[in-house]
Amino acid sequence: MARDDVPTSGRELKFRTLMAELRRGILDGTWPPGSKLPTERALAVETGLSVTTVRRAYEDLVALGLVERRQGAGTFAAQRYDEEAARRRIVGVVVPDTAFYYPRVLQGIEKELAGAGARLVLACSSYDPAEEDAAVARLLSSGVHGLLLAPTLHTATDPGRRAEELLALPVPAVLVERRLAAYGPGDPTEHVCTDHEGGAYDAVRHLRGLGHERLALVVRSDAPTSAPLESGFARAVADLGLREPVRVQGPMADWDAARADAAVAAVRAAGATAALCFGDREATLVLAAARRAGLDVPRDLALVSYDNEFADVAETPLTAVSPPKFQVGRLAAQILLRRLADGDASPLHQVRLRPRLVVRASCGAAGPHKSPSPAH
């Protein structure tokens, strides 16, 4: 069987790449059932790898049932793979989390792949770059034809170099909810993302329309969504001529009732009458802290949450920016399948989808707001 427990050294990555190419060639009919594969020596010369590496790859393919060794005759593609199975695409998907945010993205991916007769193989990186590398290597060795990736670019020392490594993989890769925003037109990645800047902008514009002139941004500091949220928030504040905003930041692990109490105190001390909170958990904690401080939501403090995972079940249902997660996943899968079908003839896709604002009770009715009353 494939040796997934071996560290991903340069030599190991070459082996996994060879395995991926051989498996893909067998499954897509490059070597039809019963056809003879190159000899170990011929393949070693062709690839520049050692005969030992090629022999190991053939042994693993035998263990997987993909090839057969015939004494004195050579190595042959197994007979049991029919043409229909050979044509099926196998898509590897790596996401950082399968409990929050990404379930709806995965549903979109799965629906599109199933409709095209393709198969999904899922891996979770848990926001760990080493596990991300290991997951990609495992998927390559399993013979995937393409990859949908949500890499940890926001923690990489050099995001551009990390993106180049992913683009250099032996199969096409489309990034999901990730792009190199700082590179502008120089971003070489194919990607489908939520327009988080636009989502934050729309939230600020909505609050300004309700009469709020000084806003707060309550945001996690350790999430890939934080930077575009802050950028969109700042742009909207500037464009709409609002007063200097209040920013409350902190890593997700620090957000508890005490942290929320401190956030509400800071927001009120600065005279802000509304806040955009990322994400639903933080917004719910801020809502509870506002109640403990004797504030009425939305009369004393209007709230907008960013995420809309469970904003509707809060004690006061939260107005929320809702990223189009299902559509992001589905479109990313469409683009990858098109890339696999058309190769370099397919144009580079760089797509951003605008979230929608779902208005609920936490903002209140339209109309001018008075200056905040003194803190209770």
Side-chain angles (χ1 to χ4, degrees):
M1 61 183 296
R3 298 168 175 82
D4 288 335
D5 57 338
V6 180
T8 312
S9 62
R11 183 170 57 184
E12 183 67 17
L13 183 58
K14 291 179 181 178
F15 163 73
R16 292 184 185 276
T17 300
L18 175 62
M19 276 287 293
E21 292 173 349
L22 290 172
R23 177 166 178 152
R24 196 163 51 251
I26 293 167
L27 293 177
D28 67 16
T30 301
W31 291 293
S35 63
K36 186 176 181 179
L37 274 68
T39 66
E40 292 174 0
R41 187 168 298 280
L43 189 56
V45 171
E46 179 184 340
T47 61
L49 301 173
S50 68
V51 173
T52 302
T53 298
V54 173
R55 182 174 299 122
R56 178 187 166 194
Y58 276 172
E59 289 171 353
D60 278 12
L61 291 170
V62 169
L64 290 168
L66 288 169
V67 302
E68 301 169 350
R69 296 277 208 178
R70 299 179 190 172
Q71 186 67 33
T75 304
F76 296 80
Q79 292 283 358
R80 67 188 182 90
Y81 284 90
D82 58 28
E83 291 185 7
E84 182 180 354
R87 286 196 299 269
R88 290 191 66 190
R89 299 292 189 184
I90 304 173
V91 174
V93 180
V94 181
V95 294
D97 194 299
T98 56
F100 298 101
Y101 196 94
Y102 285 95
R104 284 289 289 163
V105 176
L106 292 171
Q107 288 173 11
I109 292 172
E110 189 170 23
K111 184 173 181 62
E112 188 62 31
L113 294 182
R119 183 160 62 91
L120 179 153
V121 182
L122 177 64
C124 180
S125 68
S126 301
Y127 292 97
D128 182 341
E131 179 53 35
E132 185 179 292
D133 285 340
V136 170
R138 287 195 300 270
L139 291 171
L140 288 175
S141 66
S142 73
V144 298
H145 296 86
L147 292 163
L148 295 170
L149 305 173
T152 51
L153 294 178
H154 71 294
T155 61
T157 304
D158 186 345
R161 182 176 179 181
R162 177 58 177 159
E164 289 175 359
E165 292 172 354
L166 298 175
L167 292 174
L169 293 172
V171 299
V174 175
L175 303 191
V176 181
E177 291 291 24
R178 299 290 188 270
R179 64 188 179 98
L180 296 174
Y183 284 64
D187 183 351
T189 65
E190 191 151 46
H191 58 253
V192 181
C193 301
T194 296
D195 181 5
H196 296 301
E197 293 98 328
Y201 195 104
D202 290 345
V204 173
R205 183 162 51 191
H206 176 71
L207 291 170
R208 178 66 184 92
L210 294 174
H212 298 282
E213 296 183 356
R214 189 165 201 185
L215 309 181
L217 177 64
V218 180
V219 64
R220 288 182 223 146
S221 58
D222 56 351
T225 308
S226 298
L229 273 180
E230 292 189 48
S231 175
F233 181 89
R235 178 63 181 269
V237 166
D239 286 354
L240 299 173
L242 300 180
R243 296 169 58 194
E244 181 67 23
V246 184
R247 286 179 173 83
V248 180
Q249 299 177 324
M252 182 176 179
D254 287 354
W255 279 98
D256 55 17
R259 176 74 178 180
D261 288 338
V264 168
V267 168
R268 294 297 291 169
T273 59
L276 171 61
C277 303
F278 172 58
D280 287 355
R281 177 176 174 270
E282 288 72 18
T284 303
L285 287 168
V286 168
L287 174 62
R291 294 284 171 81
R292 286 193 295 274
L295 303 178
D296 178 83
V297 174
R299 189 188 66 220
D300 298 318
L301 181 65
L303 296 176
V304 176
S305 179
Y306 196 101
D307 203 6
N308 202 34
E309 285 281 347
F310 50 87
D312 59 324
V313 298
E315 183 179 356
T316 298
L318 293 162
T319 292
V321 179
S322 183
K325 301 169 190 177
F326 182 89
Q327 291 82 357
V328 165
R330 190 167 188 177
L331 185 54
Q334 287 177 4
I335 289 170
L336 179 60
L337 292 173
R338 192 174 307 159
R339 173 69 58 196
L340 291 172
D342 299 342
D344 292 339
S346 178
L348 185 71
H349 292 81
Q350 297 184 330
V351 181
R352 283 190 290 168
L353 301 179
R354 192 87 164 202
R356 64 190 180 95
L357 186 69
V358 182
V359 178
R360 301 191 180 98
S362 66
C363 279
H369 278 68
K370 298 179 180 180
S371 299
S373 56
H376 293 261

